[in-house]
Amino acid sequence: MNFWGRIILDLCFRKHSRASFAVTSLVLLLSGFSASAQSLTPLAQNYRKDPSPVNRATLMRFAAAHPSDMEGAQALLVTAATDFDRTGYGNVVADLKGLEKRLPKLTDYVAFLRASALFASQDYAQAVTELSTVLKQTPVSPLLAKSVMLTARANVELQKPKDAVELVRKHYAGLPLPPADLLLAKSSEAIADPVTAATYYQKIYYLYPSSMEAAQAEGALGLLRQNLGDKFPPAMPQTILMRTSRLMNSGDPRKAKAELEALIPQIGGIERDLAKVRAGVADYFAKDNQAAYQYLKSLTVSAPEADAERLYYLHAAARRLNNEDGAMDAVDRLGKQYPDSRWRLEALLSAANKYLVNNQAKVYQPLYQACYESFPNEPEAPFCHWKVAWNEYLKRGPDAARMLREHLTKYPTSEKAAAALYFLGRAAEKQKSLAAAKAYYTEIGERFPNYFHAVLARGRLLRPEIAQAGVSSETESYLDTVKFTLRPAKRNFEPDAPTKVRLDRARLLASAGLDDWAETELRFGAKTDGLSNVLALELAQMAEKRGAHDQAIRIIKSLAGGYLSIPFDAAPEKFWKLAFPMPYRPALDASSKQHALDPFLVAALIRQESEFNPLALSRAKAYGLTQVMPATGRELSRKIGIRRFTAKMLFEPELNLKLGTLYLRTMLDQLGGQLEPTLAAYNAGKSRVDNWLNYSVFEEPAEFIESIPFTETRNYVQIVLRNADVYRRLYGPKQSAVISTDGLSSKRITAVH
């Protein structure tokens, strides 16, 4: 026992009141010593998680022990922020007194928090004064939109609605909707401009029917309609129809149908025809497919736009009813009557995709062809053209190479550009045009450095006969004519002056336990200031420190847009390791080794399945790192000797890895060691994969992958294999970063029709 402990123990056995007072004083003194000795961040984080009186007292003692430095001010800031979240104002104003001088880089946060507390205590004038600091902040504060809204609300309370209207209109583009519209509506009423108020209320009611503000708008519109009489601005029929469409899309088709049926007798022209059609569409959205089909089939409308929409939903309802004749009849009628309608394009895609899944090439090919020929400028045209080109390649047709080149020429920004280049290279190899093949593979590596087909291309370029091939002037001249997207500019990972300000502010907030505020600061900076790579790196590192590897991955994906286009050596290694982390590595390596699996492949699969969140739970109720279903987990747990299995056990990383790798190994064995079909089965189920393997005679694994009819599964397989390549380059020995030049799988796929 130390010196202070013996003193406290001695005093505790004394009954005299002075002794009790001494004990209390000494405990408080020692706790003050303890608080001053601790670092701020864990204390602040603890209070944010558990805002108990004890934790608050500890944080306040820390602040008292640091009366003049920045950490003491940060302690008061986090105390005030947490208190405001709990009580609305309380001691917030007092706690924040003088903090703007001690936290000069965070004056807008101090001012906004103080203003919020003043507003809650109805001191509106002082709140407006405080908020002026945020409105004038340079660089722009992430609290600007909230401050504008709060200032406007305070001005309304101060009987200054004109000031509120001017401020909201000035900053309208950056404000949240519909709350800003509601504020403008109320302010317009306050300045005796009921017509403008009605316009804003109508915008809320018709465009945001599922919002909380819509109910307020509905009540206000009823009163304004009574008060204004003939001066009330009527809503246009198109606007009313938009409301019903949004109700359907937000999951309330029955309400939409009731409103449509009430509207039909009140309007005429094309709007009436559209309302009639959408009454049937509402049945379709409600999954009453038979009612929708019968109603739309018997309905007659004269407006071409409405009739085209009717035919599309007639097709869609027939599809759900497995009425293929009815579905295709609607497609044919759209082609004859409304060949340029967007509804025809939607129907063509719907029908073609259905027959693609059933591997009926003779049916889907002309549908896709009609899509890109009739709608060459629509966003879907590249997809449709690719399906036709790919089918030609898979048939080993004489036009395959021509169509692949045509795809690049017509749609140089297509998401299939890398695939077109790769299979042009493979076609050139088969024609013994090795220099041409080399040019295609090199182009992939330069333009798509971290994508799936770049992995394949690097493998092909390592083949001696291709590596030693000469130059194909003809191929390089052709590639020069393709208007690819510009090669990605070199990313800057060095912060400029404004970015340094953002970083400093975010670090101050994070060290005060205000991680959510720090994230807002960095995300706002990435959106408004540029240099999003720098801010993404900082934010991802903050997430990693919390052990939130999944958040770090998502931050890189969302803020460092197009990060896969960055050459591997053009970004810091830390950036890549945040984007492709490998936590739980000892358990991951052990489980992988036990089942003879590549640990980098397992890591790649986990990144795609759960982003390394051990508590991940999918909509389908798949659990944990490798997303194991409870039934599968129960079956596999018996094999490894676990008797009392529960689904929650799948949240344990080590056990989840054991079961996930066992499941992957089992499936791999069932599919004859073929990796690509195994990954497809992991995502879509083995029975589907067994069917897909019989779609064609695949000469290499990449052909099987490209032929997977489910976009989600096709992308899944490509992403996992791409991830595995990145993991090898990051964490493995140099030589392991190169895949087999014969493909990704140890066994060639030779499925037949």
Side-chain angles (χ1 to χ4, degrees), residues 487-493 531 533 565-567 569-571:
R487 284 185 172 87
K490 184 178 180 181
R491 301 293 184 99
N492 188 355
F493 285 88
L531 284 184
N533 302 309
S565 297
I566 305 174
D569 58 357

Side-chain angles (χ1 to χ4, degrees), residues 187 198 253 300 353 362 371 375 422 441 533 575 596 649 700:
S187 300
T300 300
N353 290 339
K362 290 182 179 179
C371 162
F375 303 93
Y422 175 75
Y441 297 145
N533 302 309
F575 176 86
M649 294 170 69
E700 62 176 300

Side-chain angles (χ1 to χ4, degrees), residues 386 390 393 404 407-408 414-427 440-441 444 448 451-454 456 484 702 706 714 718:
W386 175 256
W390 178 246
Y393 180 90
L404 291 175
H407 188 79
L408 290 172
S414 163
E415 65 175 18
K416 292 297 183 180
L421 288 167
Y422 175 75
F423 289 109
L424 278 168
R426 295 294 287 129
Y440 288 126
Y441 297 145
I444 299 172
F448 311 98
Y451 287 80
F452 168 69
H453 290 96
L456 300 180
F484 291 107
E706 191 57 48
R714 183 172 60 256
Q718 291 183 353

Side-chain angles (χ1 to χ4, degrees), residues 166-451:
E166 288 177 7
L167 185 64
V168 172
R169 285 180 173 169
K170 178 181 177 181
H171 296 278
Y172 186 79
L175 299 181
L177 300 178
D181 290 321
L182 184 62
L183 190 49
L184 281 171
K186 290 182 175 180
S187 300
S188 297
E189 281 191 283
I191 59 176
D193 186 358
V195 174
T196 300
T199 301
Y200 282 112
Y201 281 130
Q202 285 176 337
K203 183 179 178 184
I204 297 166
Y205 179 73
Y206 291 112
L207 300 187
Y208 305 95
S210 300
S211 67
M212 295 176 59
E213 291 82 1
Q216 297 182 56
E218 183 178 15
L221 284 170
L223 293 173
L224 286 170
R225 188 178 287 107
Q226 292 177 8
N227 296 334
L228 286 172
D230 293 341
K231 294 181 180 179
F232 183 83
M236 300 299 290
Q238 300 95 319
T239 305
I240 301 173
L241 286 173
M242 189 174 294
R243 169 179 163 82
T244 60
S245 294
R246 295 194 175 190
L247 282 170
M248 282 190 268
N249 288 321
S250 62
D252 201 350
R254 296 301 183 196
K255 186 174 183 179
K257 183 175 182 178
E259 292 190 11
L260 285 163
E261 290 176 338
L263 175 66
I264 290 169
Q266 304 173 27
I267 58 176
I270 184 176
E271 286 80 16
R272 188 179 188 198
D273 280 353
L274 286 170
K276 286 181 176 181
V277 170
R278 289 175 188 173
V281 173
D283 284 333
Y284 174 82
F285 271 82
K287 294 190 166 71
D288 192 348
N289 302 309
Q290 189 64 45
Y293 181 76
Q294 294 299 335
Y295 173 85
L296 292 170
K297 185 178 181 181
S298 62
L299 180 65
T300 300
V301 291
S302 56
E305 181 181 339
D307 198 37
E309 185 172 345
R310 178 187 73 85
L311 286 170
Y312 169 76
Y313 280 104
L314 187 65
H315 158 80
R319 279 279 312 278
R320 284 187 179 174
L321 294 167
N322 295 318
N323 180 356
E324 293 305 321
D325 290 339
M328 291 307 295
D329 178 66
V331 174
D332 292 340
R333 290 170 64 186
L334 277 164
K336 292 173 183 176
Q337 296 174 237
Y338 312 108
D340 300 325
S341 170
R342 174 77 193 182
W343 294 111
R344 182 193 173 214
L345 172 59
E346 296 289 345
L348 286 169
L349 284 167
S350 172
N353 290 339
K354 190 262 185 187
Y355 290 109
L356 174 71
V357 172
N358 294 336
N359 196 34
Q360 294 176 262
K362 290 182 179 179
V363 183
Y364 73 67
Q365 181 153 330
L367 294 169
Y368 284 128
Q369 186 170 344
C371 162
Y372 72 78
E373 287 181 348
S374 299
F375 303 93
N377 299 318
E378 291 296 323
E380 294 85 355
F383 169 82
C384 294
H385 186 278
W386 175 256
K387 290 301 181 186
V388 176
W390 178 246
N391 186 57
E392 187 68 15
Y393 180 90
L394 209 55
K395 291 190 306 182
R396 320 303 168 192
D399 281 346
R402 179 192 64 78
M403 289 207 69
L404 291 175
R405 285 194 293 271
E406 181 179 84
H407 188 79
L408 290 172
T409 302
K410 284 187 173 182
Y411 314 107
T413 61
S414 163
E415 65 175 18
K416 292 297 183 180
L421 288 167
Y422 175 75
F423 289 109
L424 278 168
R426 295 294 287 129
E429 282 193 72
K430 292 169 187 174
Q431 296 296 322
K432 306 301 181 184
S433 301
L434 300 184
K438 182 178 181 180
Y440 288 126
Y441 297 145
T442 302
E443 190 76 15
I444 299 172
E446 291 179 354
R447 293 193 178 277
F448 311 98
N450 299 301
Y451 287 80

Side-chain angles (χ1 to χ4, degrees), residues 549-563:
H549 300 284
D550 56 323
Q551 293 179 28
I553 292 171
R554 291 196 295 274
I555 287 163
I556 298 291
K557 288 179 179 179
S558 63
L559 293 188
Y563 72 102

Side-chain angles (χ1 to χ4, degrees), residues 678-705:
T678 298
L679 293 175
Y682 201 97
N683 178 260
K686 183 175 179 295
S687 60
R688 287 194 179 101
V689 171
D690 288 338
N691 185 35
W692 297 340
L693 284 168
N694 291 307
Y695 272 16
S696 183
V697 178
F698 301 117
E699 295 183 352
E700 62 176 300
E703 291 185 0
F704 164 76
I705 296 171

Side-chain angles (χ1 to χ4, degrees), residues 39-62:
S39 62
L40 168 65
T41 304
L43 294 177
Q45 290 174 337
N46 196 35
Y47 185 49
R48 290 291 279 177
K49 292 177 184 176
D50 177 20
S52 65
V54 172
N55 288 338
R56 188 184 193 281
T58 302
L59 204 53
M60 291 302 289
R61 285 195 297 272
F62 181 94

